[in-house]
Each structure stands twice: as C-alpha cells, then as structure tokens.
Amino acid sequence: MSSRAYTRLWLESQAALNELLGQELPSQPLQPEKSQRLFFQMVATLFLRYVQILRCLETCYDQMVHPQKRLVLRRVLEGVMGRVLELKNEMVEMELSEYHYMDDVLQDLKLTPPSRVAMLRDEAVQLVQMAERMRQSRLRAKFMREIRRDEERERRARDSGAKEPDREQAALCIQKVWKGCLQRRCTKLEREREMAFIGMVPDPKAFGLPAAMLRAQLGEEFRRLRQADYEAEYQQALVSIREGLFEVEGPDMKEEMKEQLRQWFIECHDLTGRFPEFPDEELGGSSILFAEKTPEQVQEELELQETEGQKKKEKTAEKEKSKEGKAKKGKDKKQGEEESLKLAESKFLPMISEGSAEYQTVWGNQDELDNLEPHYELELMKAQQRKEVETELRLQVDELMREELQRLKLAVDREEGKSLKAKKSSKQPKGKKGGKKKEKDLTPDRTLDSLYEELVLQGILKQAPHVQLADYTGDFCYLGSALRMAGIEPTPSVTDIRQNIALYAILRLGSPTLHELAPLVKSVLLAGPAGTGKKLLVHAVCTETGANLFDLSPDNLVGKYPGKAGLSMLIHLVFKVARLMQPSVIWVGNAEKTFYKKVPKEEKQADPKRLKRDLPKALKLLKPEDRVLLLGTSDKPYEADVKTLCKAYERILLVPRPDYASRYVTWQRLIKKHGGTISPALDASALAKLSDGYSQGCIAQAVQLVLTERRLLQMPKKPLRAGEFLQVLAKADPIYSEEEKTLQDWYTKTPLGKKRLKAAQEREEGKEAKGKDKKGKKGKK
C-alpha cells in the first residue's frame, strides 16, 4: 500500500470514530437501559466497532512515515485502546465472566469472526470457488458412476452366452489392463496438476510465500526504515528550531511577559488596594493570568482554588454516607425488580475527542493525498516549539517576578506581607503530615547494573524465548451465544484466551498511558491442564511488549536467598529492578505451591510457601504508573487455598483443552512449521477428530517425534499419513474429563465464579416465582 492508501484509511477511521463519539457523547444525556440483554448488546457493539477502528489505526501508525501525523495518531490510538479496555471491564462486571461470546452481534454487524489468519478478498473468493467446484465434481462423479453401472449391466448381459476366450483374446485382455493402468496413472497426475492449478490442493512445487506477498512485506519493512530516518530528521529540526526561537524571539517574549505581569500587579492594587498573590507552579504559574481575563476574575479564581480543599473533604464525607444509604436500599429491593444500567464515566473519551479535534483542525482541511514524500511541516513545528519555549521562559520569568512582587509588598504593604507569610508557614506542616510513607530502600548504595547482574547470576532474571502471540493458534467459538441462550456454558476457545491476554497484559504493559488510566490489573493467573500453552503465553507477553522476565517459581527459588532477611532482599531486588526497567513480567510457575493448603512431605524442605505473605504485600505497593505484571501459571490450582490465591491474583483465566477447530489449525501449523507438507494423503480432519482430549503440547511433541530429518527426506516418495502421528500421540497422557470437572468446580469457588453462580440461582428462583404466580392466577379464575 502507498502513502495515499494509508492516508485514506486514516480518513475513513477518523470518520467512523467521530460517529462513535457522537453516539457516546450526545448533546442530551442518554436514558439508562433496564434490560440487561439489550444493554450487553449495546456494549458489545461498541466494543467491536472500537476494535475495528483500533486495527485500522494500528495499521496506519505502523506504516505511516510522517512524524507529526504519527504523534497525533498515537494519541488517538491510545485513547481507542483505553476505551476498549474500559468496555471489556464493563462486560466482565455485567456477565460475571472473563469470556464473552458475540457471534450474534458479529452477524448483526455483517462482520466475520476474528480468524486465525487474515483472509484477503481474493482468498475468500477462491475458497468459495473451490467449494463450488467440489460440489460439482461430486455430482459429476455420481452421474458417471451410474452410467458405468448401466454399461456394466449391458456388457454382462451380452457376454452371458459367449464362448471360452482363446489366446488372442487373452493377450488383448492383458494389453487392455496394462494400458488402463498406465492411463489411470497419467490421469491421476494430470488431475493433481489441474487441482493445484485451480487452487483446490496446495502445489507441491510451490514453497514459501507468493511473490506478491513477499513484495508487500518488503515494502512494509522499507517504510519502517523510512520512519526511523524521518523521525531523526524531525528531531534534528526540532532542536534547530528551538535554538533559533530562543535566540530570536526569546528576549522579546521575556520582556512582554514581565510587562504584562507588572501591569497586572498595578491593576490589582488599584482595584483591591493591595497586591495579589502570585499563583503557584502547581496551579500553572502566570499562565492562568494570560488567558484574557480581568484582574478581578483572576483574583476570584485564586480565592476559589483556596476553598476547594475544604469542599472536597465535605464531598467525600457525603459520598460515603450516600454509599451506605444505597447499600441499605439495595438490600430492601424486591428480587424481580431490575436496576437501570448505564455505562461508567470514561477517562479515554476526552482523550479521543481531543485527538479527533486536533486532527480536524490541523490535518482535516489539508489535502495530503498527493503529498507522496512527507517529511515534516515547518510552520506547525514552529508553532509547537514556540509554545514550549514560551512555557520554559515563563518559569524563569515567574521566579524573577515573584521576587519583584515580594519586594513591592515589603515596600508598600509590610504588615499584609507578614500575615501572608504566617499563613503560608501554617499551611506547610499540614501538607507534610498527609504524605505517605515511602518504601524503605534496602540497596541505596548499589547501582542498577549490579542489581541486574546479581539477579541474572542467581537465575531470577531470565531471557524469554522469542514467541509471538500469533503462535498460540486456534479458532473462534462460533456458537457461543447460542449455547448460552440454551443455558449451556460454552468452552472458551483459543481465540478467546488470546484476546484476554492481549487486553489484560500486552496492551497495558505496552503503553504507559493505558496502564495509568485504564482499570488497573496487577496480576493474572492462567489455570488449566498441563500442555495447554500457559508458559507459551507468558513468553508471548514478554516478546510482544519487550518486557523483562523475573522467575519467582517455587522450584526456581530452592536454596536462594535463605531466611527472612534473604527473602526480604529477594522481593526488594525483584520489584526494584522491575520498576526501574519496566515493562516487567514476574512469573510464578506452579502458582498453587505458594498457597498450598497442606505442603506434601517431599516438598517441605524446599519451603514452597516462602512468598505467601511478602508477594501480596509487594503487589499492593505497585502504583498505576508502574508497568509491572504478576503472571502465574498453575496446573492444579485446586490444591491451593482459594482465598489467599484469589487475593494475590486479581484476574483468573481458565485455559481448557483445544476444541476440534483449534486442533485442526494446530496440526496444520505445526506440520508446516517442522518442514512437512499437507498432501491429500494426510487427512487433517481425521487427525483433529481422533486427537480429542489431547493438549497442544502433546500434539507438538508428536509432530516433533515423527518429522525427523530422515522422514523429511522420504516425504517426496512417501507422503505423510495420519496414522504415523496417531501412533506416537497414543503414547501421551490425555486430559481426562475428571480433571476438567475438578477445574470447573474449583473456578466456581473464585470470587467471579461465586458471583456468577449466585446470579444464576437468583434467575432460576425468579423464574420459579413467576411460574407460581401464573399458576395461582389460573387457579383463581
């Protein structure tokens, strides 16, 4: 795609975003919805539309080379990502589930589910054509089979009275059979070539990506290189423009600011009879005085800001009282009565609105479609740097004018100056008392390099393998909403798990703005049978975000940092380095061991419960600006104490065994990854069906054991068959239904599982009550 295409895509995305903003920020407040089902559909529709816009903006940001456009685009992109996270949080609180099934909403919006591979329009047309040709071939084969059957019957009827064959007839029969065999071989080869030509089977001679795809990938990489070059030019131009503004316009700006402040001093003294107080830096300094306001208005604002603290305290007290009253009212409500539903206030909608407004004012009226080589806009850079230079100069001028104002007060109004000093001195200790205690630094004299080196040598800080989130392959759950409507809880698909990992971990760790403003998630637990890809997801989070990996698994801590002092030092080192080198992921494998109900005898010497108290305490000290995430993985979470485990991990995601569609995709991907080819002789559908109950780890192990170097060399003459993989797979241990049921029962004991179970019971009780009322009314009649 060209620069013009990405600019057009940005224009279309911005138009769709403005439409959503008009829906979420209407001129009149929206009326709350009473139906939970309709409210969820509304939230799900917003979620999907924002995800659509997010993907388009992400593509534009990845490939757009103009540095100033990318700055505006990044702000809008972060706002959209934050809004997606807020809507996800709303859906979790509404459905009391981490997994949501929106296939009915996708159908209403005429959208396709999130596929495992991005499908182009030509590929979709080719897929439809292939299915139609197969249908016609089946009909033609059936028709020809009937014709041959009729011909065979006629031939047998004619030959029923024939004599015994002689030698010539025998030779002719042998020749006919041999020629038929040769012709069938040739026909089979021709058929395979024809099927490969029309795209119904993969071409065995074609390896790698098509030429068009390779050219597209090379073009994308070239654009990323141009981004770096243009960004370097942009930064150099900023420095030169900044220096020029300081030299040329800086002195005039200073004098103008001083004159404006002196004029303000005189006007305030003439109106009020005393000199005003100079605004503090926290309030904006003299910037609030340059907002085209009269001295009286500025003085009123300053007085109002002084009384805001007292009003806030009164409001907090009133809020606490109102919360208590609401809780009492909620208990008194009847069971059948439904509360009105309304979206919570968003922190990201103002950010999106500001970014859209900036786009409209700066770039919306410019025709950039024909600007094929955009480097930067000089006038826009000057206006931006002029504001920054003015802000920096204002700080210097404020310091000088504060001293000048103080001298004026001492010279003209000494008594008032003393009283003001007394007030300031009385206010200062109050602020100091309200401050929070800082965490004690156990290593104040050590450098970050020495701490980093120590953790590496101890095996705590590790190099995460390069694994992308796309490697966790699977398919979409196509009947999720239908199953829920029927009262059946569907099994989460691989796509659902991958989406939650992207929302809870990757997006938050990748952006400081999102981590600070979005609903805070400090810890996530991945619970599921062995081999379902939990550790792969941890490594994928580190790869996608560039995060450091700290391994605090109980097995990894055996013999390291013994005693209470050593444990305190370990926690301090890990969290200190994690904060200083964020983003960081703290991984706890076999997380159930940290919160064992009863430690097994063979593990008592290892002391797996060392982190039971200190780890939750350290998590509480994390601030919203600290991009540190605790990721736990567990095969047997039911062996841990539920309360303490759930206190340490805020979000718990069940990772079940793969379904048929995910197994089908996994078999194909792994065979191709290890050098194999999927020919007509290999029935991937049968593999997916017969491998039901096995995890992705078992499938990966089977593929590795079968596709050896020797087997890959034999593949041209001996194609792969499903039996080879099934023989190896049969030796692995499957995931038994009892283990899955134990995990499901354990999940109902978690906070979210309890809420969902309670809500289901209340719905059933409400239905029973309605049924009894109807029967009573019929009986009275």
Side-chain angles (χ1 to χ4, degrees):
M1 292 174 67
S2 61
S3 299
R4 184 180 301 173
Y6 289 112
T7 303
R8 189 179 293 109
L9 181 61
W10 187 19
L11 292 172
E12 295 172 357
S13 304
Q14 197 65 46
L17 190 59
N18 291 334
E19 183 182 350
L20 278 181
L21 286 175
Q23 182 179 347
E24 289 214 77
L25 298 173
S27 56
Q28 296 180 356
L30 294 172
Q31 294 182 355
E33 182 65 48
K34 292 185 178 181
S35 173
Q36 185 175 359
R37 183 171 174 273
L38 294 177
F39 185 70
F40 176 77
Q41 286 187 345
M42 183 193 73
V43 177
T45 304
L46 286 174
F47 179 82
L48 292 173
R49 293 186 66 185
Y50 273 114
V51 169
Q52 276 186 293
I53 296 172
L54 170 61
R55 290 179 176 175
C56 295
L57 293 178
E58 182 186 8
T59 303
C60 294
Y61 182 75
D62 180 58
Q63 291 298 308
M64 197 168 283
V65 296
H66 198 294
Q68 291 164 296
K69 286 184 179 180
R70 295 183 83 238
L71 290 174
V72 180
L73 189 55
R74 182 181 177 85
R75 285 194 288 273
V76 179
L77 181 60
E78 287 182 341
V80 172
M81 288 191 292
R83 188 57 183 152
V84 168
L85 296 180
E86 287 178 339
L87 293 172
K88 167 67 177 177
N89 193 53
E90 290 278 352
M91 290 191 292
V92 170
E93 292 180 356
M94 192 187 317
E95 285 200 319
L96 301 176
S97 174
E98 298 289 353
Y99 302 104
H100 317 287
Y101 303 99
M102 298 173 280
D103 40 299
D104 54 343
V105 184
L106 287 169
Q107 188 175 1
D108 294 340
L109 294 176
K110 309 298 182 185
L111 298 174
T112 56
S115 57
R116 52 191 175 269
V117 180
M119 183 177 290
L120 300 176
R121 184 176 180 181
D122 294 341
E123 295 177 359
V125 171
Q126 186 180 9
L127 186 64
V128 174
Q129 290 176 346
M130 182 177 67
E132 178 62 21
R133 293 191 192 102
M134 292 173 70
R135 187 188 68 82
Q136 294 179 4
S137 298
R138 285 194 295 269
L139 292 176
R140 186 168 59 250
K142 181 180 178 182
F143 181 66
M144 294 301 296
R145 190 163 52 248
E146 292 176 354
I147 293 176
R148 292 193 189 97
R149 191 180 301 156
D150 295 339
E151 291 178 352
E152 184 69 19
R153 289 174 183 172
E154 293 177 0
R155 188 183 64 80
R156 286 180 181 177
R158 288 196 306 269
D159 297 343
S160 58
K163 298 179 181 179
E164 295 182 359
D166 55 3
R167 190 170 184 178
E168 292 183 359
Q169 291 179 349
L172 289 173
C173 183
I174 294 172
Q175 290 177 0
K176 183 175 70 173
V177 171
W178 175 242
K179 288 181 179 179
C181 180
L182 289 178
Q183 187 60 40
R184 282 192 295 274
R185 288 182 183 178
C186 294
T187 304
K188 184 179 179 181
L189 290 176
E190 291 294 330
R191 180 173 176 78
E192 289 177 357
R193 292 173 186 170
E194 181 185 1
M195 298 291 276
F197 176 74
I198 63 178
M200 293 183 68
V201 295
D203 189 358
K205 296 182 180 179
F207 294 98
L209 295 173
M213 294 291 291
L214 287 174
R215 285 196 298 270
Q217 289 185 358
L218 290 174
E220 291 178 358
E221 292 297 330
F222 178 67
R223 294 181 71 85
R224 293 189 184 99
L225 294 175
R226 287 170 62 195
Q227 281 180 4
D229 296 339
Y230 285 14
E231 184 65 26
E233 292 180 14
Y234 175 68
Q235 295 297 334
Q236 291 178 359
L238 283 179
V239 173
S240 61
I241 290 172
R242 186 183 183 85
E243 292 176 354
L245 288 174
F246 266 112
E247 293 177 2
V248 177
E249 301 182 12
D252 295 338
M253 285 184 183
K254 275 187 175 182
E255 291 300 325
E256 185 179 354
M257 291 178 191
K258 289 179 180 179
E259 289 298 328
Q260 288 179 349
L261 286 172
R262 290 191 184 104
Q263 185 66 26
W264 182 68
F265 295 161
I266 295 170
E267 290 180 2
C268 287
H269 187 272
D270 293 340
L271 289 171
T272 61
R274 59 189 178 89
F275 286 107
E277 291 188 18
F278 204 94
D280 296 333
E281 289 186 11
E282 297 176 355
L283 301 175
S286 61
S287 60
I288 62 173
L289 307 177
F290 296 157
E292 297 181 359
K293 296 178 181 178
T294 62
E296 294 176 351
Q297 292 175 343
V298 175
Q299 189 67 23
E300 289 177 1
E301 288 184 0
L302 294 174
E303 291 175 357
L304 286 173
Q305 288 169 358
E306 291 178 358
T307 58
E308 277 183 358
Q310 298 178 354
K311 290 183 179 180
K312 285 181 181 178
K313 292 179 181 179
E314 295 175 357
K315 286 181 180 179
T316 52
E318 290 177 359
K319 284 182 180 179
E320 291 177 358
K321 291 180 181 178
S322 63
K323 285 180 181 178
E324 294 177 359
K326 287 180 181 178
K328 292 179 181 179
K329 289 180 181 179
K331 292 179 181 178
D332 297 335
K333 282 187 177 180
K334 295 180 180 179
Q335 293 180 353
E337 187 178 356
E338 293 185 352
E339 295 183 1
S340 58
L341 301 171
K342 192 176 180 181
L343 285 173
E345 187 176 355
S346 173
K347 296 180 180 178
F348 291 94
L349 283 178
M351 185 187 301
I352 299 173
S353 181
E354 291 174 5
S356 300
E358 184 178 356
Y359 159 79
Q360 191 63 34
T361 54
V362 178
W363 304 105
N365 298 324
Q366 296 186 18
D367 188 9
E368 292 288 327
L369 295 177
D370 296 329
N371 191 4
L372 301 180
E373 289 295 330
H375 289 255
Y376 50 81
E377 295 291 335
L378 186 60
E379 294 300 324
L380 186 62
M381 291 171 63
K382 285 183 178 180
Q384 178 187 357
Q385 288 300 309
R386 190 174 285 109
K387 292 180 181 179
E388 295 182 2
V389 169
E390 185 179 352
T391 303
E392 188 173 344
L393 291 176
R394 183 177 290 117
L395 295 176
Q396 302 174 6
V397 172
D398 286 354
E399 293 180 3
L400 296 174
M401 297 309 292
R402 280 193 186 94
E403 297 177 359
E404 185 174 338
L405 179 60
Q406 196 69 21
R407 288 195 297 269
L408 286 172
K409 287 181 179 180
L410 291 173
V412 179
D413 206 355
R414 293 178 181 276
E415 294 180 359
E416 189 175 352
K418 291 179 181 179
S419 62
L420 288 172
K421 285 183 181 179
K423 286 182 181 178
K424 286 185 179 180
S425 61
S426 64
K427 289 181 180 179
Q428 286 178 358
K430 290 183 180 178
K432 291 180 181 177
K433 288 181 182 177
K436 293 183 180 179
K437 292 183 179 179
K438 293 184 178 180
E439 183 184 1
K440 186 178 179 181
D441 192 358
L442 301 179
T443 55
D445 300 329
R446 295 186 59 180
T447 61
L448 178 60
D449 293 338
S450 65
L451 300 177
Y452 187 91
E453 183 180 1
E454 179 180 343
L455 290 175
V456 172
L457 293 176
Q458 291 290 337
I460 305 295
L461 186 57
K462 295 183 177 180
Q463 175 92 29
H466 185 79
V467 178
Q468 294 182 344
L469 189 63
D471 294 336
Y472 190 68
T473 52
D475 210 342
F476 182 76
C477 183
Y478 296 95
L479 298 174
S481 60
L483 291 173
R484 273 195 174 172
M485 291 289 289
I488 303 171
E489 183 62 24
T491 303
S493 66
V494 171
T495 306
D496 298 325
I497 299 164
R498 190 169 62 190
Q499 184 189 65
N500 278 343
I501 290 295
L503 294 176
Y504 285 144
I506 294 176
L507 287 183
R508 284 177 165 87
L509 289 177
S511 172
T513 306
L514 288 181
H515 196 277
E516 188 171 353
L517 296 179
L520 188 59
V521 176
K522 296 181 180 179
S523 54
V524 178
L525 176 65
L526 302 176
T532 50
K534 299 182 293 296
K535 192 186 297 185
L536 183 142
L537 290 172
V538 175
H539 295 157
V541 171
C542 297
T543 301
E544 298 289 350
T545 60
N548 299 289
L549 179 63
F550 298 85
D551 187 0
L552 290 184
S553 303
D555 298 337
N556 190 42
L557 299 181
V558 177
K560 300 175 183 178
Y561 296 95
K564 292 184 179 180
L567 182 61
S568 301
M569 179 60 70
L570 169 65
I571 295 295
H572 170 73
L573 289 176
V574 169
F575 278 85
K576 182 178 180 179
V577 177
R579 286 193 194 99
L580 294 175
M581 300 187 64
Q582 49 186 284
S584 300
V585 171
I586 300 174
W587 172 49
V588 180
N590 297 323
E592 74 279 356
K593 294 184 178 181
T594 308
F595 304 97
Y596 261 147
K597 297 177 184 177
K598 185 179 180 181
V599 181
K601 293 181 180 179
E602 60 273 12
E603 296 184 21
K604 284 187 177 180
Q605 293 183 352
D607 193 13
K609 298 174 67 174
R610 292 179 66 196
L611 300 177
K612 182 178 180 180
R613 294 182 179 178
D614 293 345
L615 188 61
K617 289 180 181 178
L619 282 175
K620 290 181 180 178
L621 296 175
L622 290 176
K623 300 176 182 177
E625 58 268 19
D626 297 329
R627 286 185 292 156
V628 180
L629 179 68
L630 175 66
L631 264 178
T633 56
S634 176
D635 301 339
K636 302 173 181 178
Y638 41 82
E639 294 183 355
D641 182 58
V642 179
K643 291 184 179 179
T644 53
L645 183 68
C646 295
K647 284 182 181 179
Y649 295 96
E650 301 174 0
R651 301 287 185 180
I652 298 176
L653 302 178
L654 279 182
V655 185
R657 61 182 175 86
D659 54 4
Y660 169 80
S662 298
R663 293 194 302 273
Y664 183 82
V665 176
T666 302
W667 276 112
Q668 289 187 325
R669 183 185 69 85
L670 290 175
I671 291 172
K672 291 178 181 178
K673 180 181 177 182
H674 290 83
T677 55
I678 299 176
S679 62
L682 178 61
D683 193 348
S685 179
L687 272 177
K689 184 67 176 177
L690 295 174
S691 58
D692 187 13
Y694 289 92
S695 64
Q696 296 97 320
C698 296
I699 295 174
Q701 187 177 7
V703 172
Q704 289 177 358
L705 292 175
V706 170
L707 295 181
T708 59
E709 293 184 6
R710 181 179 180 184
R711 185 65 186 88
L712 292 175
L713 293 173
Q714 295 174 351
M715 205 177 339
K717 296 182 179 179
K718 185 181 178 182
L720 292 172
R721 295 187 177 274
E724 301 178 56
F725 297 100
L726 294 175
Q727 289 177 0
V728 179
L729 188 65
K731 299 177 182 178
D733 294 329
I735 300 171
Y736 296 101
S737 58
E738 293 81 5
E739 183 180 1
E740 292 183 331
K741 188 176 184 304
T742 305
L743 283 169
Q744 291 290 343
D745 294 341
W746 169 82
Y747 187 74
T748 57
K749 299 176 183 178
T750 61
L752 197 62
K754 286 181 180 179
K755 291 179 182 178
R756 184 170 180 81
L757 186 62
K758 184 179 179 181
Q761 291 175 354
E762 289 177 354
R763 284 196 297 268
E764 290 179 1
E765 291 174 0
K767 289 180 181 178
E768 291 177 359
K770 288 181 180 178
K772 289 179 180 179
D773 293 341
K774 288 181 180 179
K775 288 181 181 178
K777 290 179 181 179
K778 288 181 180 178
K780 288 179 182 179
K781 289 180 181 179

